[in-house]
């Protein structure tokens, strides 16, 4: 049975070009980057090339990139690192109700340490309330952390506007851009972003590696102690092969970004059009325009999303009933309930996220399968 993969927000395949560039660092160029002999120096050089490639994708300086184990570590490092460093200035953090668990649970952990966190509401499209953001700021606010684009409904926030508000109030601004990097143009300098999280496996790179951008002049507390790697901010021998893979994935993302966006938008819009034409009891979740090019989240009324997902799986179709991070939970998505969906409608949601390997024929197969299954149900 052929597998048709429509869950690219959960993870992507590793591109052949990425894998080929990684392979020598497993068995040939395996030297420790901290060693002074030749294969150690080669590993160190490979890391710096990767750092430059990552920096070019988001338009920052190479020395503003810190390598991590992925998006969750980057989020933790950014939020805890700023919180601990600036706690003498205040203990108030502002975030939103629809953040990724890596942000929400980090903020909840800080609440247990005496920090005060404001969780902003969002409207029916998933946009934060800008007025509530402004009104929530106090002289104790040290950090605003708002995701660039939502992993479930694809809604893109007005990051430049949020960053300007933070800068005007002398507050550090972090964005979880794990879903956005490689899917929309990002210029951290132009947008006024202080810290940004990204992950390799969302952009056709390997799992277990990511990066945190930190604008020069922004200091943060490290919480992995040991050696002096990553400018003494993240101790531990580097994952050289993974970092090389991330660098190559970023290079390819930058090179083909326009074509990538155009293709995903076409597939997404074609899919939504076909669903709207054939199924009346449905609701599109997230902003119709300000959304990731490859993201579609649709609630099918009076349909159990988990059952739909299992029936699609039996046909070789991979999709998601919500966030892959919460797929084992029986509770409705916190994102979908935050945008005002009832529990029943939220549980009928199907997230379809397109990737570079998908074709129009794949979409036709997906749509016909959904129509057939819903008629049966």
């Amino acid at each position: 049975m052929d597998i048709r993969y429509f869950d690219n927000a959960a993870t992507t395949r590793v591109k052949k070009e990425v894998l080929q560039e990684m392979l020598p660092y497993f068995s040939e160029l395996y030297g420790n980057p901290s060693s002074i002999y030749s294969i150690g120096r080669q590993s160190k050089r490979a890391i710096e090339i990767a750092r430059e490639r990552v920096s070019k994708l988001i338009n920052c300086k190479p020395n503003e990139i810190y390598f991590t184990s992925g998006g969750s570590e980057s989020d933790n490092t950014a939020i805890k690192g700023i919180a601990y460093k600036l706690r003498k200035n205040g203990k108030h953090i502002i975030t939103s109700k629809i953040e990724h668990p890596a942000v929400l649970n980090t903020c909840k952990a800080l609440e247990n340490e005496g920090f005060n966190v404001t969780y902003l509401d969002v409207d029916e499209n998933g946009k934060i309330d800008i007025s509530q953001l402004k009104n929530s700021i106090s002289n104790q606010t040290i950090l605003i952390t708002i995701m660039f684009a939502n992993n479930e409904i694809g809604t893109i926030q007005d990051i430049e506007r949020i960053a300007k508000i933070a800068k005007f109030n002398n507050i550090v601004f972090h964005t979880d851009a794990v879903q956005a990097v490689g899917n929309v143009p990002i210029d951290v300098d132009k947008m006024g972003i202080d810290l940004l999280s990204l992950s390799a496996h969302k952009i056709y790179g390997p799992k277990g590696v990511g990066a945190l951008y930190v604008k020069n002049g922004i200091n943060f507390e490290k919480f992995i102690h040991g050696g002096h790697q990553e400018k003494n901010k993240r101790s531990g021998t580097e994952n050289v092969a993974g970092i090389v893979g991330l660098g190559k994935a970023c290079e390819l993302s930058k090179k083909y970004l326009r074509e990538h966006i155009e293709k995903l938008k076409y597939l997404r819009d074609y899919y939504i059009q076909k669903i709207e034409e054939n199924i009346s009891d449905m609701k599109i979740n997230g902003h119709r325009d300000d959304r990731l090019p490859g993201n579609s989240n649709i609630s099918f009324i009076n349909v159990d999303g988990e059952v739909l997902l299992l029936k699609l799986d039996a046909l070789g179709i991979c999709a998601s009933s919500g966030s892959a991070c919460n797929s084992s939970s029986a509770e409705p998505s916190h994102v979908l309930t935050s945008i005002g969906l009832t529990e029943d409608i939220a549980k009928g949601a199907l997230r379809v996220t397109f990737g570079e390997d998908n074709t129009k024929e794949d979409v036709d197969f997906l749509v016909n399968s959904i129509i057939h299954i819903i008629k049966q149900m």
Side-chain angles (χ1 to χ4, degrees):
M1 179 173 60
D2 291 335
I3 297 296
R4 290 176 169 85
Y5 188 77
F6 298 100
D7 203 17
N8 289 275
T11 196
T12 57
R13 68 171 175 86
V14 177
K15 285 185 175 180
K16 290 180 181 179
E17 304 96 315
V18 173
L19 180 59
Q20 287 172 355
E21 196 150 327
M22 292 172 63
L23 287 175
Y25 296 92
F26 287 111
S27 57
E28 300 168 24
L29 304 175
Y30 53 84
N32 189 313
S34 297
S35 300
I36 63 171
Y37 40 73
S38 61
I39 59 172
R41 295 197 305 272
Q42 284 176 295
S43 292
K44 184 69 173 177
R45 175 61 181 155
I47 290 174
E48 296 315 312
I49 291 172
R51 202 184 307 276
E52 184 173 355
R53 287 172 168 176
V54 176
S55 70
K56 285 182 178 179
L57 180 59
I58 60 173
N59 190 35
C60 69
K61 298 178 179 64
N63 69 352
E64 295 175 315
I65 295 295
Y66 297 82
F67 292 115
T68 68
S69 64
S72 292
E73 186 190 327
S74 294
D75 286 341
N76 271 261
T77 302
I79 296 168
K80 291 181 179 178
I82 293 298
Y84 295 152
K85 190 57 132 179
L86 300 181
R87 68 198 320 170
K88 291 182 180 179
N89 299 338
K91 289 189 173 184
H92 181 226
I93 297 169
I94 300 174
T95 188
S96 84
K97 292 181 178 178
I98 64 168
E99 298 295 312
H100 188 277
V103 170
L104 290 177
N105 290 332
T106 301
C107 287
K108 289 175 183 176
L110 287 172
E111 285 183 293
N112 293 331
E113 298 183 38
F115 285 85
N116 178 30
V117 181
T118 297
Y119 299 91
L120 301 176
D121 296 319
V122 294
D123 63 19
E124 67 276 9
N125 294 315
K127 293 272 194 176
I128 68 162
D129 185 333
I130 293 293
S131 296
Q132 187 186 15
L133 169 61
K134 292 178 178 179
N135 293 333
S136 298
I137 293 172
S138 73
N139 59 8
Q140 294 294 303
T141 308
I142 56 173
L143 174 67
I144 296 172
T145 174
I146 302 292
M147 68 193 329
F148 201 112
N150 188 264
N151 51 303
E152 292 192 41
I153 59 175
T155 296
I156 298 173
Q157 302 292 342
D158 190 344
I159 293 299
E160 275 194 70
R161 188 177 180 190
I162 297 167
K164 284 180 181 177
I165 293 169
K167 185 176 182 180
F168 179 80
N169 290 279
N170 197 31
I171 299 168
V172 176
F173 174 56
H174 163 254
T175 184
D176 174 349
V178 166
Q179 294 291 335
V181 168
N183 285 310
V184 295
I186 296 178
D187 184 329
V188 293
D189 183 53
K190 179 182 177 183
M191 293 179 171
I193 298 168
D194 294 320
L195 298 96
L196 177 146
S197 303
L198 62 92
S199 180
H201 77 106
K202 307 293 187 179
I203 56 171
Y204 304 92
K207 298 173 183 63
V209 62
L212 175 66
Y213 155 75
V214 183
K215 182 179 179 179
N216 283 336
I218 302 289
N219 202 0
F220 63 99
E221 199 73 42
K222 66 176 179 180
F223 65 97
I224 297 181
H225 296 81
H228 300 283
Q229 292 86 354
E230 294 303 288
K231 295 195 292 183
N232 199 31
K233 288 295 188 181
R234 202 246 183 196
S235 299
T237 301
E238 299 91 339
N239 173 12
V240 181
I243 290 170
V244 167
L246 169 59
K248 185 63 175 179
C250 286
E251 181 185 59
L252 294 173
S253 289
K254 180 175 175 59
K255 184 176 181 179
Y256 299 110
L257 184 61
R258 180 178 296 179
E259 298 96 316
H260 173 81
I261 292 172
E262 288 177 356
K263 177 177 181 178
L264 266 57
K265 274 187 176 180
Y266 170 76
L267 294 176
R268 179 201 67 194
D269 293 345
Y270 178 71
Y271 166 74
I272 292 174
Q273 176 190 338
K274 289 297 180 182
I275 291 293
E276 287 183 309
E277 288 175 354
N278 290 278
I279 300 174
S280 57
D281 289 340
M282 51 81 76
K283 182 186 183 305
I284 296 173
N285 301 317
H287 202 285
R288 289 295 297 243
D289 300 313
D290 293 337
R291 71 183 305 128
L292 292 171
N295 177 287
S296 172
N297 190 306
I298 297 176
S299 284
F300 296 98
I301 313 303
N302 299 319
V303 171
D304 187 320
E306 292 295 326
V307 175
L308 173 59
L309 197 63
L310 290 171
K311 289 183 178 290
L312 289 172
D313 180 49
L315 297 174
I317 295 171
C318 302
S320 172
S321 59
S323 169
C325 302
N326 296 322
S327 59
S328 62
S329 173
E331 295 299 315
S333 156
H334 73 284
V335 175
L336 298 181
T337 55
S338 293
I339 63 173
L341 269 60
T342 64
E343 183 173 331
D344 287 343
I345 295 178
K347 286 190 173 182
L350 180 72
R351 183 186 70 172
V352 172
T353 45
F354 300 98
E356 294 179 5
D357 296 330
N358 294 134
T359 64
K360 184 172 177 285
E361 291 71 29
D362 288 335
V363 177
D364 286 330
F365 184 83
L366 171 63
V367 172
N368 291 334
S369 299
I370 292 172
I371 294 169
H372 178 69
I373 292 169
I374 289 180
K375 284 181 179 179
Q376 284 184 326
M377 294 172 68

